[in-house]
Amino acid sequence: MKTVTLGNNGPQSSRLIYGCMRIAGSWNVEDYDDQQKKLAYAALGAAVEAGYTHFDHADIYAHTLCETIFGGYLADNPGLREKIMITTKCGIRFGDPKTFDWSYDHIVNSARKSLERLQCGSIDVLLLHRPDYLVEADEVARAFETLKAEGTVKCFGLSNCNVQRVELIRQAVGDSLVCNQLELHPLRVAPWKGPWEDGTLDHLKRRNITPTAWSPLAGGRLAKRSVCDEPDSVRDQVQDTLVKIGKKYDADMATMTMAWLLRHPSGILPIVGSRTPDRITAMAKADDIELSRVDWYEIYTAAYGKNLP
Ligand SMILES: NC(=O)c1ccc[n+]([C@@H]2O[C@H](COP(=O)([O-])OP(=O)(O)OC[C@H]3O[C@@H](n4cnc5c(N)ncnc54)[C@H](OP(=O)(O)O)[C@@H]3O)[C@@H](O)[C@H]2O)c1
């Protein structure tokens, strides 16, 4: 798979990222057993085999279990660490009540604990997971400096941040932000007024910060017909269009969704979330598809739900 540099001077990432949020099988840690471990290892093996070199984590995934599984996988596969890059996230406190926390202590302590679980020498990119309304940007800058100086984290990024939040943090930390992870998929175009429409993607391009796309299949809702919180007609129309256009490119609906995201000039990198080896392998083929403008817009129009103005 082709690789790209994250941000101005970040690490090399495969164009499709493998997301590890679902590798434990569920967020109920008591359900994790040898059978689930086999499934997790099969998914990770398929991703490595298909050329994904970037693995996405967060401290909270399955209440830290996903990072622990991945750390075990690295220990069981010597030599793999040098061939891949690892992103993880912090900034959500899973307490009662739940809070967002970008304080110095929370960032530094979370990153150190992630590194222990991941057993991987250093974290390539640390993202702040969801905007903390009480953030002090200088504290974030101090935390990044500490983690970089001690070698825990090489680069930094944000997630779910709009233009204003990216600028607030960028002013404090300088050029060290390499990506912003956003919910980007065809069921989030207009009328949702999210990153597709509000200038976020143009701004990231101008700042040379790489957008990465979480839940590229809308958490599976785009792949299914039965459960969906978008108007069914739009979802069904998007699916039918992806299937129809996919026949031209000899690719399935999910692979076409990845190709549609990859075609955007801001350099979106989709994060594949399936745990099914065949799907992980198939979606990697999106790297070889160059969608035409007409085909891209046909999918956009289906998602828009009516003819373009
Ligand atoms: N920054 C954030 O706030 C944030 C939030 C959410 C996620 N993330 C990241 O984004 C990654 C991807 O998110 P996601 O897992 O929600 O991605 P997704 O690709 O939108 O959804 C994956 C789900 O779709 C199902 N699926 C995939 N292809 C299918 C098909 N052809 N037919 C039926 N079902 C299909 C998968 O089932 P199978 O496993 O059975 O194939 C899986 O349950 C996560 O791993 C995480 O790293 C970040």
Short mmCIF file of all heavy atoms in Angstrom, two decimals, residues 50-106:
data_model
loop_
_atom_site.label_atom_id
_atom_site.label_comp_id
_atom_site.label_asym_id
_atom_site.label_seq_id
_atom_site.Cartn_x
_atom_site.Cartn_y
_atom_site.Cartn_z
N ALA A 50 -2.10 -7.13 4.47
CA ALA A 50 -2.65 -6.30 3.39
C ALA A 50 -1.90 -4.98 3.23
O ALA A 50 -2.22 -4.19 2.34
CB ALA A 50 -4.13 -6.03 3.64
N GLY A 51 -0.95 -4.70 4.11
CA GLY A 51 -0.11 -3.51 3.93
C GLY A 51 -0.47 -2.30 4.79
O GLY A 51 0.08 -1.21 4.58
N TYR A 52 -1.40 -2.46 5.72
CA TYR A 52 -1.68 -1.35 6.65
C TYR A 52 -0.44 -1.22 7.55
O TYR A 52 -0.02 -2.20 8.17
CB TYR A 52 -2.88 -1.65 7.53
CG TYR A 52 -4.22 -1.82 6.84
CD1 TYR A 52 -4.53 -2.97 6.10
CD2 TYR A 52 -5.22 -0.86 6.97
CE1 TYR A 52 -5.76 -3.13 5.50
CE2 TYR A 52 -6.47 -1.02 6.36
CZ TYR A 52 -6.73 -2.16 5.64
OH TYR A 52 -7.96 -2.33 5.04
N THR A 53 0.11 -0.01 7.63
CA THR A 53 1.28 0.16 8.51
C THR A 53 0.99 1.15 9.63
O THR A 53 1.88 1.52 10.39
CB THR A 53 2.51 0.67 7.73
OG1 THR A 53 2.17 1.96 7.16
CG2 THR A 53 2.92 -0.29 6.64
N HIS A 54 -0.27 1.59 9.73
CA HIS A 54 -0.64 2.57 10.75
C HIS A 54 -1.82 1.99 11.55
O HIS A 54 -2.84 1.64 10.97
CB HIS A 54 -1.02 3.89 10.06
CG HIS A 54 -1.41 5.01 10.98
ND1 HIS A 54 -1.60 6.30 10.54
CD2 HIS A 54 -1.65 5.06 12.31
CE1 HIS A 54 -1.92 7.08 11.54
NE2 HIS A 54 -1.97 6.35 12.64
N PHE A 55 -1.66 1.88 12.86
CA PHE A 55 -2.67 1.28 13.72
C PHE A 55 -3.16 2.33 14.70
O PHE A 55 -2.37 2.98 15.39
CB PHE A 55 -2.08 0.05 14.43
CG PHE A 55 -1.81 -1.07 13.46
CD1 PHE A 55 -0.67 -1.06 12.67
CD2 PHE A 55 -2.73 -2.07 13.27
CE1 PHE A 55 -0.44 -2.06 11.72
CE2 PHE A 55 -2.53 -3.08 12.33
CZ PHE A 55 -1.37 -3.07 11.55
N ASP A 56 -4.49 2.48 14.75
CA ASP A 56 -5.10 3.54 15.55
C ASP A 56 -5.72 2.98 16.83
O ASP A 56 -6.49 2.01 16.78
CB ASP A 56 -6.19 4.24 14.73
CG ASP A 56 -6.79 5.43 15.47
OD1 ASP A 56 -6.10 6.46 15.57
OD2 ASP A 56 -7.92 5.31 15.98
N HIS A 57 -5.38 3.61 17.96
CA HIS A 57 -5.87 3.18 19.27
C HIS A 57 -6.43 4.38 20.03
O HIS A 57 -6.29 5.53 19.63
CB HIS A 57 -4.72 2.61 20.10
CG HIS A 57 -4.33 1.24 19.72
ND1 HIS A 57 -4.94 0.13 20.22
CD2 HIS A 57 -3.38 0.78 18.86
CE1 HIS A 57 -4.40 -0.96 19.71
NE2 HIS A 57 -3.46 -0.59 18.87
N ALA A 58 -6.97 4.08 21.22
CA ALA A 58 -7.24 5.09 22.24
C ALA A 58 -7.18 4.38 23.58
O ALA A 58 -7.45 3.17 23.66
CB ALA A 58 -8.63 5.71 22.05
N ASP A 59 -6.81 5.13 24.62
CA ASP A 59 -6.75 4.50 25.95
C ASP A 59 -8.10 3.89 26.34
O ASP A 59 -8.17 2.86 26.98
CB ASP A 59 -6.25 5.51 27.01
CG ASP A 59 -7.06 6.81 27.03
OD1 ASP A 59 -7.96 7.00 26.18
OD2 ASP A 59 -6.78 7.65 27.91
N ILE A 60 -9.18 4.53 25.89
CA ILE A 60 -10.50 4.07 26.36
C ILE A 60 -11.03 2.84 25.62
O ILE A 60 -12.00 2.23 26.08
CB ILE A 60 -11.57 5.18 26.25
CG1 ILE A 60 -11.76 5.62 24.79
CG2 ILE A 60 -11.25 6.35 27.16
CD1 ILE A 60 -13.01 6.49 24.59
N TYR A 61 -10.46 2.44 24.50
CA TYR A 61 -11.07 1.36 23.71
C TYR A 61 -11.12 0.06 24.53
O TYR A 61 -10.08 -0.45 24.96
CB TYR A 61 -10.35 1.13 22.39
CG TYR A 61 -10.51 2.28 21.40
CD1 TYR A 61 -9.68 2.41 20.30
CD2 TYR A 61 -11.51 3.24 21.57
CE1 TYR A 61 -9.84 3.47 19.40
CE2 TYR A 61 -11.68 4.29 20.68
CZ TYR A 61 -10.83 4.40 19.60
OH TYR A 61 -10.99 5.45 18.73
N ALA A 62 -12.34 -0.43 24.69
CA ALA A 62 -12.59 -1.60 25.56
C ALA A 62 -11.92 -1.38 26.92
O ALA A 62 -11.34 -2.31 27.49
CB ALA A 62 -12.15 -2.90 24.92
N HIS A 63 -12.00 -0.15 27.41
CA HIS A 63 -11.48 0.19 28.74
C HIS A 63 -10.01 -0.22 28.88
O HIS A 63 -9.64 -0.88 29.85
CB HIS A 63 -12.33 -0.46 29.84
CG HIS A 63 -13.78 -0.13 29.70
ND1 HIS A 63 -14.32 1.06 30.10
CD2 HIS A 63 -14.80 -0.85 29.16
CE1 HIS A 63 -15.61 1.07 29.83
NE2 HIS A 63 -15.93 -0.07 29.25
N THR A 64 -9.21 0.11 27.90
CA THR A 64 -7.74 -0.12 27.82
C THR A 64 -7.38 -1.51 27.26
O THR A 64 -6.21 -1.75 26.94
CB THR A 64 -6.97 0.07 29.17
OG1 THR A 64 -7.33 -0.98 30.07
CG2 THR A 64 -7.24 1.42 29.81
N LEU A 65 -8.34 -2.42 27.16
CA LEU A 65 -8.02 -3.78 26.72
C LEU A 65 -7.45 -3.81 25.30
O LEU A 65 -6.55 -4.62 25.00
CB LEU A 65 -9.27 -4.67 26.82
CG LEU A 65 -9.13 -6.12 26.38
CD1 LEU A 65 -8.04 -6.85 27.17
CD2 LEU A 65 -10.47 -6.87 26.55
N CYS A 66 -7.93 -2.95 24.40
CA CYS A 66 -7.44 -2.99 23.01
C CYS A 66 -5.94 -2.69 22.95
O CYS A 66 -5.20 -3.35 22.22
CB CYS A 66 -8.23 -2.02 22.14
SG CYS A 66 -9.94 -2.52 21.95
N GLU A 67 -5.50 -1.70 23.73
CA GLU A 67 -4.06 -1.42 23.75
C GLU A 67 -3.29 -2.61 24.32
O GLU A 67 -2.21 -2.96 23.82
CB GLU A 67 -3.77 -0.17 24.60
CG GLU A 67 -4.17 1.14 23.94
CD GLU A 67 -3.77 2.36 24.77
OE1 GLU A 67 -3.63 2.23 26.01
OE2 GLU A 67 -3.60 3.44 24.19
N THR A 68 -3.83 -3.24 25.35
CA THR A 68 -3.15 -4.39 25.96
C THR A 68 -3.04 -5.54 24.96
O THR A 68 -1.99 -6.20 24.85
CB THR A 68 -3.90 -4.83 27.23
OG1 THR A 68 -3.99 -3.71 28.10
CG2 THR A 68 -3.18 -5.97 27.93
N ILE A 69 -4.13 -5.81 24.23
CA ILE A 69 -4.09 -6.89 23.23
C ILE A 69 -3.01 -6.57 22.20
O ILE A 69 -2.22 -7.43 21.82
CB ILE A 69 -5.47 -7.01 22.51
CG1 ILE A 69 -6.54 -7.45 23.49
CG2 ILE A 69 -5.37 -7.97 21.33
CD1 ILE A 69 -7.96 -7.35 22.92
N PHE A 70 -2.99 -5.32 21.76
CA PHE A 70 -2.02 -4.93 20.72
C PHE A 70 -0.58 -5.07 21.24
O PHE A 70 0.31 -5.54 20.53
CB PHE A 70 -2.29 -3.51 20.24
CG PHE A 70 -1.64 -3.20 18.93
CD1 PHE A 70 -2.25 -3.56 17.74
CD2 PHE A 70 -0.41 -2.55 18.86
CE1 PHE A 70 -1.65 -3.29 16.50
CE2 PHE A 70 0.20 -2.28 17.64
CZ PHE A 70 -0.42 -2.64 16.46
N GLY A 71 -0.36 -4.68 22.49
CA GLY A 71 0.97 -4.84 23.09
C GLY A 71 1.39 -6.31 23.07
O GLY A 71 2.54 -6.64 22.75
N GLY A 72 0.45 -7.21 23.40
CA GLY A 72 0.73 -8.65 23.36
C GLY A 72 1.03 -9.10 21.94
O GLY A 72 1.94 -9.92 21.71
N TYR A 73 0.29 -8.56 20.98
CA TYR A 73 0.50 -8.94 19.58
C TYR A 73 1.91 -8.53 19.12
O TYR A 73 2.59 -9.28 18.43
CB TYR A 73 -0.58 -8.29 18.70
CG TYR A 73 -0.53 -8.75 17.27
CD1 TYR A 73 -1.03 -9.98 16.88
CD2 TYR A 73 0.02 -7.92 16.28
CE1 TYR A 73 -0.98 -10.40 15.55
CE2 TYR A 73 0.06 -8.33 14.95
CZ TYR A 73 -0.44 -9.57 14.60
OH TYR A 73 -0.38 -9.98 13.29
N LEU A 74 2.32 -7.34 19.53
CA LEU A 74 3.68 -6.89 19.16
C LEU A 74 4.73 -7.79 19.81
O LEU A 74 5.71 -8.17 19.16
CB LEU A 74 3.90 -5.45 19.62
CG LEU A 74 3.21 -4.34 18.83
CD1 LEU A 74 3.53 -2.98 19.44
CD2 LEU A 74 3.62 -4.36 17.35
N ALA A 75 4.51 -8.15 21.08
CA ALA A 75 5.48 -9.02 21.77
C ALA A 75 5.54 -10.39 21.08
O ALA A 75 6.61 -11.00 21.00
CB ALA A 75 5.08 -9.17 23.24
N ASP A 76 4.41 -10.86 20.56
CA ASP A 76 4.37 -12.17 19.89
C ASP A 76 4.88 -12.12 18.46
O ASP A 76 5.01 -13.16 17.81
CB ASP A 76 2.93 -12.71 19.87
CG ASP A 76 2.45 -13.10 21.27
OD1 ASP A 76 3.32 -13.28 22.15
OD2 ASP A 76 1.23 -13.21 21.47
N ASN A 77 5.11 -10.91 17.94
CA ASN A 77 5.57 -10.76 16.55
C ASN A 77 6.80 -9.88 16.50
O ASN A 77 6.74 -8.71 16.06
CB ASN A 77 4.45 -10.16 15.69
CG ASN A 77 3.33 -11.15 15.45
OD1 ASN A 77 3.38 -11.95 14.54
ND2 ASN A 77 2.31 -11.10 16.30
N PRO A 78 7.94 -10.40 16.93
CA PRO A 78 9.15 -9.58 16.97
C PRO A 78 9.49 -9.02 15.59
O PRO A 78 9.30 -9.70 14.58
CB PRO A 78 10.24 -10.58 17.43
CG PRO A 78 9.53 -11.81 17.86
CD PRO A 78 8.15 -11.81 17.31
N GLY A 79 9.93 -7.79 15.59
CA GLY A 79 10.30 -7.15 14.33
C GLY A 79 9.17 -6.34 13.71
O GLY A 79 9.40 -5.50 12.85
N LEU A 80 7.92 -6.59 14.18
CA LEU A 80 6.79 -5.86 13.58
C LEU A 80 6.83 -4.38 13.94
O LEU A 80 6.54 -3.51 13.11
CB LEU A 80 5.47 -6.49 14.04
CG LEU A 80 4.20 -5.81 13.54
CD1 LEU A 80 4.14 -5.83 12.01
CD2 LEU A 80 2.95 -6.48 14.12
N ARG A 81 7.20 -4.07 15.18
CA ARG A 81 7.14 -2.67 15.65
C ARG A 81 7.89 -1.72 14.70
O ARG A 81 7.43 -0.60 14.44
CB ARG A 81 7.73 -2.56 17.07
CG ARG A 81 7.83 -1.12 17.58
CD ARG A 81 6.44 -0.52 17.75
NE ARG A 81 6.44 0.88 18.13
CZ ARG A 81 6.10 1.89 17.31
NH1 ARG A 81 5.80 1.64 16.04
NH2 ARG A 81 6.08 3.12 17.76
N GLU A 82 9.02 -2.17 14.19
CA GLU A 82 9.85 -1.30 13.34
C GLU A 82 9.18 -1.03 11.98
O GLU A 82 9.56 -0.10 11.28
CB GLU A 82 11.23 -1.92 13.09
CG GLU A 82 12.13 -2.01 14.32
CD GLU A 82 11.64 -3.00 15.35
OE1 GLU A 82 11.23 -4.12 14.96
OE2 GLU A 82 11.61 -2.65 16.55
N LYS A 83 8.19 -1.86 11.62
CA LYS A 83 7.57 -1.72 10.29
C LYS A 83 6.28 -0.92 10.33
O LYS A 83 5.67 -0.67 9.30
CB LYS A 83 7.27 -3.10 9.73
CG LYS A 83 8.50 -3.93 9.48
CD LYS A 83 8.11 -5.30 8.94
CE LYS A 83 9.33 -6.21 8.91
NZ LYS A 83 9.00 -7.61 9.14
N ILE A 84 5.82 -0.55 11.51
CA ILE A 84 4.51 0.10 11.62
C ILE A 84 4.59 1.38 12.45
O ILE A 84 5.60 1.64 13.10
CB ILE A 84 3.46 -0.83 12.29
CG1 ILE A 84 3.89 -1.16 13.72
CG2 ILE A 84 3.25 -2.09 11.45
CD1 ILE A 84 2.78 -1.72 14.57
N MET A 85 3.51 2.15 12.42
CA MET A 85 3.40 3.30 13.32
C MET A 85 2.11 3.20 14.13
O MET A 85 1.13 2.59 13.68
CB MET A 85 3.45 4.62 12.55
CG MET A 85 2.39 4.81 11.51
SD MET A 85 2.06 6.56 11.20
CE MET A 85 1.38 7.13 12.75
N ILE A 86 2.15 3.76 15.31
CA ILE A 86 1.03 3.61 16.24
C ILE A 86 0.53 4.99 16.69
O ILE A 86 1.32 5.85 17.11
CB ILE A 86 1.46 2.81 17.49
CG1 ILE A 86 1.90 1.39 17.07
CG2 ILE A 86 0.34 2.75 18.52
CD1 ILE A 86 2.52 0.59 18.18
N THR A 87 -0.78 5.16 16.55
CA THR A 87 -1.44 6.35 17.11
C THR A 87 -2.28 5.90 18.30
O THR A 87 -2.91 4.84 18.25
CB THR A 87 -2.39 6.97 16.06
OG1 THR A 87 -1.61 7.61 15.04
CG2 THR A 87 -3.31 8.01 16.67
N THR A 88 -2.26 6.68 19.38
CA THR A 88 -3.27 6.46 20.41
C THR A 88 -3.80 7.81 20.88
O THR A 88 -3.34 8.86 20.43
CB THR A 88 -2.76 5.57 21.56
OG1 THR A 88 -3.89 5.14 22.33
CG2 THR A 88 -1.78 6.29 22.47
N LYS A 89 -4.82 7.75 21.72
CA LYS A 89 -5.50 8.99 22.12
C LYS A 89 -5.71 9.02 23.62
O LYS A 89 -5.78 7.97 24.27
CB LYS A 89 -6.88 9.09 21.47
CG LYS A 89 -6.90 8.77 20.00
CD LYS A 89 -8.28 8.93 19.39
CE LYS A 89 -8.34 8.23 18.05
NZ LYS A 89 -8.51 6.78 18.14
N CYS A 90 -5.84 10.24 24.14
CA CYS A 90 -6.23 10.42 25.54
C CYS A 90 -7.12 11.66 25.61
O CYS A 90 -7.34 12.33 24.60
CB CYS A 90 -5.00 10.58 26.42
SG CYS A 90 -4.10 12.11 26.12
N GLY A 91 -7.62 11.94 26.79
CA GLY A 91 -8.41 13.16 26.95
C GLY A 91 -9.86 12.91 27.32
O GLY A 91 -10.62 13.85 27.54
N ILE A 92 -10.26 11.63 27.38
CA ILE A 92 -11.60 11.31 27.89
C ILE A 92 -11.41 10.55 29.19
O ILE A 92 -10.67 9.56 29.24
CB ILE A 92 -12.38 10.43 26.88
CG1 ILE A 92 -12.57 11.16 25.54
CG2 ILE A 92 -13.74 10.03 27.46
CD1 ILE A 92 -13.27 10.33 24.46
N ARG A 93 -12.07 11.01 30.23
CA ARG A 93 -12.02 10.29 31.51
C ARG A 93 -13.29 9.48 31.66
O ARG A 93 -14.39 10.05 31.64
CB ARG A 93 -11.96 11.28 32.68
CG ARG A 93 -10.57 11.74 33.01
CD ARG A 93 -10.66 12.61 34.26
NE ARG A 93 -9.39 13.21 34.57
CZ ARG A 93 -8.50 12.66 35.38
NH1 ARG A 93 -8.74 11.50 35.94
NH2 ARG A 93 -7.37 13.30 35.63
N PHE A 94 -13.12 8.18 31.79
CA PHE A 94 -14.27 7.28 31.88
C PHE A 94 -14.75 7.17 33.31
O PHE A 94 -14.84 6.10 33.89
CB PHE A 94 -13.83 5.89 31.38
CG PHE A 94 -14.55 5.48 30.15
CD1 PHE A 94 -14.32 6.12 28.96
CD2 PHE A 94 -15.47 4.45 30.17
CE1 PHE A 94 -14.98 5.76 27.81
CE2 PHE A 94 -16.14 4.07 29.02
CZ PHE A 94 -15.88 4.72 27.84
N GLY A 95 -15.04 8.29 33.96
CA GLY A 95 -15.49 8.20 35.35
C GLY A 95 -16.99 8.40 35.43
O GLY A 95 -17.70 8.35 34.43
N ASP A 96 -17.47 8.59 36.62
CA ASP A 96 -18.88 8.89 36.82
C ASP A 96 -18.94 10.20 37.60
O ASP A 96 -18.69 10.19 38.80
CB ASP A 96 -19.55 7.75 37.59
CG ASP A 96 -21.04 7.97 37.71
OD1 ASP A 96 -21.57 8.81 36.96
OD2 ASP A 96 -21.66 7.30 38.55
N PRO A 97 -19.18 11.36 37.02
CA PRO A 97 -19.55 11.52 35.61
C PRO A 97 -18.34 11.47 34.70
O PRO A 97 -17.20 11.72 35.14
CB PRO A 97 -20.16 12.92 35.59
CG PRO A 97 -19.40 13.66 36.64
CD PRO A 97 -19.09 12.66 37.71
N LYS A 98 -18.61 11.17 33.42
CA LYS A 98 -17.57 11.21 32.40
C LYS A 98 -17.15 12.66 32.17
O LYS A 98 -18.01 13.55 32.18
CB LYS A 98 -18.18 10.65 31.13
CG LYS A 98 -17.24 10.38 30.01
CD LYS A 98 -18.09 9.80 28.88
CE LYS A 98 -17.28 9.28 27.77
NZ LYS A 98 -18.15 8.74 26.69
N THR A 99 -15.86 12.92 31.97
CA THR A 99 -15.42 14.28 31.65
C THR A 99 -14.39 14.22 30.52
O THR A 99 -13.81 13.17 30.27
CB THR A 99 -14.75 14.98 32.85
OG1 THR A 99 -13.61 14.22 33.25
CG2 THR A 99 -15.69 15.14 34.02
N PHE A 100 -14.18 15.36 29.89
CA PHE A 100 -13.06 15.50 28.97
C PHE A 100 -11.96 16.23 29.73
O PHE A 100 -12.26 17.12 30.55
CB PHE A 100 -13.47 16.30 27.73
CG PHE A 100 -14.61 15.66 26.97
CD1 PHE A 100 -15.61 16.42 26.38
CD2 PHE A 100 -14.68 14.27 26.85
CE1 PHE A 100 -16.65 15.82 25.68
CE2 PHE A 100 -15.72 13.66 26.15
CZ PHE A 100 -16.71 14.44 25.57
N ASP A 101 -10.71 15.85 29.48
CA ASP A 101 -9.63 16.38 30.31
C ASP A 101 -8.34 16.52 29.51
O ASP A 101 -7.70 15.51 29.19
CB ASP A 101 -9.42 15.43 31.51
CG ASP A 101 -8.50 16.04 32.56
OD1 ASP A 101 -7.82 17.04 32.24
OD2 ASP A 101 -8.44 15.51 33.69
N TRP A 102 -7.99 17.77 29.19
CA TRP A 102 -6.74 18.03 28.49
C TRP A 102 -5.75 18.73 29.44
O TRP A 102 -4.93 19.55 29.02
CB TRP A 102 -6.96 18.93 27.26
CG TRP A 102 -7.71 18.29 26.12
CD1 TRP A 102 -8.37 17.08 26.14
CD2 TRP A 102 -7.87 18.80 24.80
NE1 TRP A 102 -8.93 16.84 24.90
CE2 TRP A 102 -8.64 17.88 24.06
CE3 TRP A 102 -7.44 19.97 24.16
CZ2 TRP A 102 -9.00 18.08 22.72
CZ3 TRP A 102 -7.79 20.18 22.82
CH2 TRP A 102 -8.56 19.24 22.12
N SER A 103 -5.84 18.41 30.72
CA SER A 103 -4.91 19.02 31.67
C SER A 103 -3.53 18.37 31.52
O SER A 103 -3.42 17.25 31.01
CB SER A 103 -5.41 18.83 33.10
OG SER A 103 -5.41 17.45 33.43
N TYR A 104 -2.51 19.07 32.00
CA TYR A 104 -1.13 18.56 31.93
C TYR A 104 -1.03 17.16 32.53
O TYR A 104 -0.54 16.22 31.90
CB TYR A 104 -0.19 19.54 32.67
CG TYR A 104 1.24 19.05 32.72
CD1 TYR A 104 2.15 19.37 31.71
CD2 TYR A 104 1.68 18.25 33.77
CE1 TYR A 104 3.45 18.91 31.75
CE2 TYR A 104 2.99 17.78 33.82
CZ TYR A 104 3.87 18.12 32.80
OH TYR A 104 5.15 17.65 32.83
N ASP A 105 -1.51 17.02 33.76
CA ASP A 105 -1.35 15.72 34.45
C ASP A 105 -2.05 14.60 33.70
O ASP A 105 -1.52 13.50 33.56
CB ASP A 105 -1.91 15.81 35.88
CG ASP A 105 -0.99 16.60 36.79
OD1 ASP A 105 0.17 16.82 36.39
OD2 ASP A 105 -1.44 17.01 37.88
N HIS A 106 -3.27 14.89 33.24
CA HIS A 106 -4.01 13.80 32.58
C HIS A 106 -3.34 13.37 31.28
O HIS A 106 -3.19 12.17 31.02
CB HIS A 106 -5.46 14.22 32.31
CG HIS A 106 -6.25 13.09 31.72
ND1 HIS A 106 -6.61 11.98 32.45
CD2 HIS A 106 -6.69 12.87 30.46
CE1 HIS A 106 -7.25 11.13 31.67
NE2 HIS A 106 -7.32 11.64 30.45
#
